[in-house]
Protein backbone atom coordinates (compact mmCIF):
# COMPACT_ATOMS: atom_id res chain seq x y z
CA UNK A 1 0.00 0.00 0.00
CA UNK A 2 1.30 3.44 -0.91
CA UNK A 3 1.67 6.38 1.50
CA UNK A 4 -1.41 8.05 0.05
CA UNK A 5 -3.45 4.99 0.85
CA UNK A 6 -2.84 5.15 4.62
CA UNK A 7 -6.01 6.67 6.09
CA UNK A 8 -6.14 8.79 9.29
CA UNK A 9 -2.39 8.86 9.63
CA UNK A 10 -0.84 12.08 11.03
CA UNK A 11 2.71 13.32 11.00
CA UNK A 12 2.42 15.12 14.38
CA UNK A 13 4.35 13.53 17.22
CA UNK A 14 3.37 13.56 20.90
CA UNK A 15 6.23 14.23 23.32
CA UNK A 16 5.83 12.80 26.82
CA UNK A 17 7.37 15.28 29.33
CA UNK A 18 6.60 13.27 32.46
CA UNK A 19 9.56 11.54 34.14
CA UNK A 20 10.14 7.93 33.22
CA UNK A 21 7.15 8.00 30.91
CA UNK A 22 4.71 8.24 33.85
CA UNK A 23 1.39 9.88 33.16
CA UNK A 24 0.48 12.92 35.29
CA UNK A 25 -1.91 11.99 38.04
CA UNK A 26 -5.14 13.73 39.04
CA UNK A 27 -3.51 14.58 42.36
CA UNK A 28 -0.97 16.69 40.52
CA UNK A 29 -3.68 18.37 38.50
CA UNK A 30 -5.66 19.29 41.62
CA UNK A 31 -2.67 20.52 43.63
CA UNK A 32 -2.99 24.13 44.87
CA UNK A 33 -0.52 26.83 43.89
CA UNK A 34 0.94 26.84 47.39
CA UNK A 35 1.56 23.08 47.26
CA UNK A 36 3.14 23.44 43.86
CA UNK A 37 5.49 26.13 45.20
CA UNK A 38 6.37 23.91 48.13
CA UNK A 39 7.41 21.20 45.69
CA UNK A 40 9.79 23.64 44.03
CA UNK A 41 12.92 24.31 46.03
CA UNK A 42 13.50 28.10 45.98
CA UNK A 43 15.11 28.12 49.39
CA UNK A 44 14.20 30.85 51.90
CA UNK A 45 14.37 33.72 49.42
CA UNK A 46 10.62 33.73 48.79
CA UNK A 47 9.62 33.04 52.39
CA UNK A 48 11.03 35.67 54.81
CA UNK A 49 9.95 33.86 57.93
CA UNK A 50 6.72 35.75 58.50
CA UNK A 51 3.73 33.88 59.82
CA UNK A 52 0.61 33.51 57.67
CA UNK A 53 -0.87 36.70 59.11
CA UNK A 54 2.28 38.75 58.35
CA UNK A 55 2.47 40.02 61.95
CA UNK A 56 6.28 40.48 62.13
CA UNK A 57 6.30 42.55 58.94
CA UNK A 58 3.42 44.67 60.26
CA UNK A 59 5.22 45.20 63.56
CA UNK A 60 8.41 46.21 61.75
CA UNK A 61 6.55 48.78 59.65
CA UNK A 62 4.82 50.16 62.73
CA UNK A 63 8.14 50.46 64.56
CA UNK A 64 9.67 52.25 61.58
CA UNK A 65 6.69 54.62 61.44
CA UNK A 66 7.04 55.39 65.16
CA UNK A 67 10.75 56.08 64.73
CA UNK A 68 10.13 58.44 61.80
CA UNK A 69 7.39 60.22 63.74
CA UNK A 70 9.76 60.72 66.69
CA UNK A 71 12.45 62.11 64.40
CA UNK A 72 9.92 64.47 62.78
CA UNK A 73 8.75 65.79 66.15
CA UNK A 74 12.35 66.25 67.31
CA UNK A 75 13.23 68.11 64.10
CA UNK A 76 10.19 70.38 64.47
CA UNK A 77 11.15 71.16 68.07
CA UNK A 78 14.76 71.90 67.06
CA UNK A 79 13.54 74.26 64.33
CA UNK A 80 11.27 76.13 66.73
CA UNK A 81 14.16 76.52 69.16
CA UNK A 82 16.36 77.80 66.32
CA UNK A 83 13.73 80.38 65.32
CA UNK A 84 13.44 81.60 68.91
CA UNK A 85 17.22 81.87 69.29
CA UNK A 86 17.57 83.68 65.96
CA UNK A 87 14.81 86.12 66.89
CA UNK A 88 16.46 86.88 70.22
CA UNK A 89 19.84 87.37 68.56
CA UNK A 90 18.40 89.71 65.92
CA UNK A 91 16.64 91.76 68.58
CA UNK A 92 19.78 91.88 70.72
CA UNK A 93 21.86 93.02 67.72
CA UNK A 94 19.32 95.71 66.83
CA UNK A 95 19.22 96.93 70.43
CA UNK A 96 23.00 97.03 70.61
CA UNK A 97 23.13 99.03 67.38
CA UNK A 98 20.74 101.59 68.84
CA UNK A 99 22.88 101.83 71.96
CA UNK A 100 26.00 102.35 69.85
CA UNK A 101 24.37 105.20 67.90
CA UNK A 102 23.09 106.81 71.09
CA UNK A 103 26.53 106.54 72.71
CA UNK A 104 28.12 108.27 69.71
CA UNK A 105 25.50 111.03 69.86
CA UNK A 106 26.21 111.76 73.54
CA UNK A 107 29.57 113.28 72.54
CA UNK A 108 27.82 115.61 70.12
CA UNK A 109 25.29 116.56 72.78
CA UNK A 110 28.16 117.40 75.13
CA UNK A 111 29.49 119.86 72.54
CA UNK A 112 26.07 121.46 72.25
CA UNK A 113 25.83 121.80 76.02
CA UNK A 114 29.23 123.52 76.20
CA UNK A 115 28.26 125.84 73.33
CA UNK A 116 25.11 126.89 75.18
CA UNK A 117 27.17 127.77 78.27
CA UNK A 118 29.24 130.37 76.42
CA UNK A 119 28.64 133.97 77.42
CA UNK A 120 27.05 135.74 74.42
CA UNK A 121 28.71 139.08 75.23
CA UNK A 122 32.15 137.49 75.32
CA UNK A 123 31.84 135.47 72.08
CA UNK A 124 32.15 136.85 68.59
CA UNK A 125 30.02 135.63 65.71
CA UNK A 126 33.14 134.19 64.12
CA UNK A 127 33.90 132.10 67.22
CA UNK A 128 30.27 131.00 67.34
CA UNK A 129 30.40 129.84 63.71
CA UNK A 130 33.63 127.98 64.37
CA UNK A 131 32.00 126.22 67.31
CA UNK A 132 28.97 125.21 65.26
CA UNK A 133 31.25 123.92 62.49
CA UNK A 134 33.19 121.84 65.01
CA UNK A 135 30.00 120.31 66.35
CA UNK A 136 28.84 119.46 62.84
CA UNK A 137 32.19 117.83 62.03
CA UNK A 138 31.97 115.81 65.24
CA UNK A 139 28.46 114.68 64.31
CA UNK A 140 29.52 113.64 60.80
CA UNK A 141 32.48 111.76 62.25
CA UNK A 142 30.23 109.89 64.68
CA UNK A 143 27.73 108.98 61.94
CA UNK A 144 30.53 107.90 59.58
CA UNK A 145 31.39 105.10 62.00
CA UNK A 146 27.97 103.65 61.14
CA UNK A 147 28.52 103.92 57.39
CA UNK A 148 26.83 107.28 56.74
CA UNK A 149 28.36 109.22 53.83
CA UNK A 150 27.65 112.86 53.04
CA UNK A 151 27.35 113.60 49.30
CA UNK A 152 27.69 117.06 47.83
CA UNK A 153 27.45 117.30 44.06
CA UNK A 154 29.93 119.57 42.31
CA UNK A 155 28.60 122.02 39.67
CA UNK A 156 28.94 120.57 36.19
CA UNK A 157 28.47 116.92 37.22
CA UNK A 158 25.96 114.88 35.26
CA UNK A 159 22.59 114.49 36.94
CA UNK A 160 22.22 110.96 38.34
CA UNK A 161 18.62 110.06 39.29
CA UNK A 162 19.94 107.26 41.49
CA UNK A 163 21.86 109.71 43.68
CA UNK A 164 20.33 113.12 42.97
CA UNK A 165 16.88 114.67 43.25
CA UNK A 166 16.15 117.55 40.89
CA UNK A 167 14.19 120.28 42.63
CA UNK A 168 14.29 122.62 39.66
CA UNK A 169 15.28 122.78 35.99
CA UNK A 170 16.45 126.10 34.55
CA UNK A 171 18.39 127.35 31.53
CA UNK A 172 21.86 128.30 32.76
CA UNK A 173 24.76 129.74 30.79
CA UNK A 174 27.95 127.74 30.93
CA UNK A 175 26.16 124.45 31.63
CA UNK A 176 24.92 121.81 29.25
CA UNK A 177 21.48 120.27 29.58
CA UNK A 178 21.44 117.61 32.30
CA UNK A 179 24.34 119.05 34.29
CA UNK A 180 24.02 119.93 37.97
CA UNK A 181 24.12 123.69 38.50
CA UNK A 182 23.95 123.84 42.30
CA UNK A 183 23.58 121.60 45.34
CA UNK A 184 20.65 122.85 47.39
CA UNK A 185 20.82 120.16 50.07
CA UNK A 186 23.55 117.54 50.46
CA UNK A 187 22.70 113.86 50.16
CA UNK A 188 23.35 111.11 52.67
CA UNK A 189 23.97 107.46 51.86
CA UNK A 190 24.70 104.32 53.83
CA UNK A 191 26.81 102.40 51.33
CA UNK A 192 24.59 102.36 48.21
CA UNK A 193 21.31 102.93 50.05
CA UNK A 194 20.12 106.54 49.95
CA UNK A 195 19.04 108.05 53.25
CA UNK A 196 18.30 111.18 51.27
CA UNK A 197 19.48 111.90 47.70
CA UNK A 198 21.28 115.16 47.08
CA UNK A 199 18.78 117.87 46.18
CA UNK A 200 20.04 119.87 43.22
CA UNK A 201 19.12 122.29 40.47
CA UNK A 202 19.74 121.06 36.92
CA UNK A 203 20.49 122.91 33.71
CA UNK A 204 17.75 122.64 31.12
Amino acid sequence: MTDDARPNETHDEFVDLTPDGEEPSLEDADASDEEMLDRLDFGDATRSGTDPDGAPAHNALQAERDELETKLLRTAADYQNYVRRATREIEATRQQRIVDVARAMTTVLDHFDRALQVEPNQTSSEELLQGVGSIRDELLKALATFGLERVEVQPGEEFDPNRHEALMFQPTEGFESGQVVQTLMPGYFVKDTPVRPAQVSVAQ
Side-chain angles (χ1 to χ4, degrees):
M1 181 181 294
T2 63
D3 291 341
D4 294 337
R6 296 174 182 174
N8 301 326
E9 183 175 356
T10 177
H11 294 283
D12 294 336
E13 295 182 356
F14 175 76
V15 179
D16 186 2
L17 297 179
T18 57
D20 301 329
E22 297 179 359
E23 295 183 1
S25 64
L26 293 177
E27 180 181 358
D28 291 336
D30 294 336
S32 65
D33 293 341
E34 184 176 354
E35 292 174 346
M36 293 297 292
L37 287 174
D38 288 339
R39 295 182 185 183
L40 298 176
D41 186 12
F42 289 111
D44 295 332
T46 59
R47 294 183 293 278
S48 59
T50 62
D51 59 18
D53 296 333
H58 173 75
N59 293 338
L61 289 175
Q62 188 173 20
E64 184 178 1
R65 183 205 64 183
D66 294 341
E67 182 181 0
L68 292 175
E69 183 178 7
T70 301
K71 289 181 179 180
L72 177 61
L73 294 175
R74 186 181 298 113
T75 301
D78 291 342
Y79 176 74
Q80 291 178 354
N81 291 333
Y82 164 77
V83 171
R84 284 194 289 266
R85 286 195 304 269
T87 301
R88 287 197 299 267
E89 291 175 0
I90 291 173
E91 180 61 25
T93 301
R94 187 182 71 87
Q95 187 67 24
Q96 184 60 46
R97 198 65 172 171
I98 293 174
V99 171
D100 292 341
V101 173
R103 184 177 292 117
M105 293 300 101
T106 57
T107 303
V108 178
L109 291 174
D110 291 339
H111 288 303
F112 276 117
D113 290 338
R114 283 192 288 269
L116 292 174
Q117 294 172 0
V118 173
E119 290 293 336
N121 296 332
Q122 299 177 3
T123 304
S124 65
S125 58
E126 182 179 355
E127 290 174 336
L128 181 61
L129 289 175
Q130 288 178 351
V132 172
S134 297
I135 294 174
R136 188 200 66 170
D137 293 342
E138 188 68 26
L139 177 60
L140 289 174
K141 181 180 178 181
L143 293 175
T145 60
F146 300 100
L148 186 70
E149 176 189 3
R150 179 184 172 98
V151 176
E152 292 194 34
V153 188
Q154 299 301 318
E157 289 188 22
E158 290 294 326
F159 175 75
D160 183 356
N162 296 319
R163 298 178 64 83
H164 311 148
E165 180 183 0
L167 296 185
M168 62 179 67
F169 291 89
Q170 55 186 14
T172 307
E173 293 184 1
F175 291 90
E176 297 180 2
S177 177
Q179 288 184 333
V180 173
V181 177
Q182 182 183 5
T183 298
L184 305 176
M185 295 290 289
Y188 293 94
F189 287 77
V190 176
K191 294 185 178 179
D192 293 330
T193 302
V195 176
R196 185 187 70 193
Q199 299 176 350
V200 299
S201 62
V202 182
Q204 204 170 29

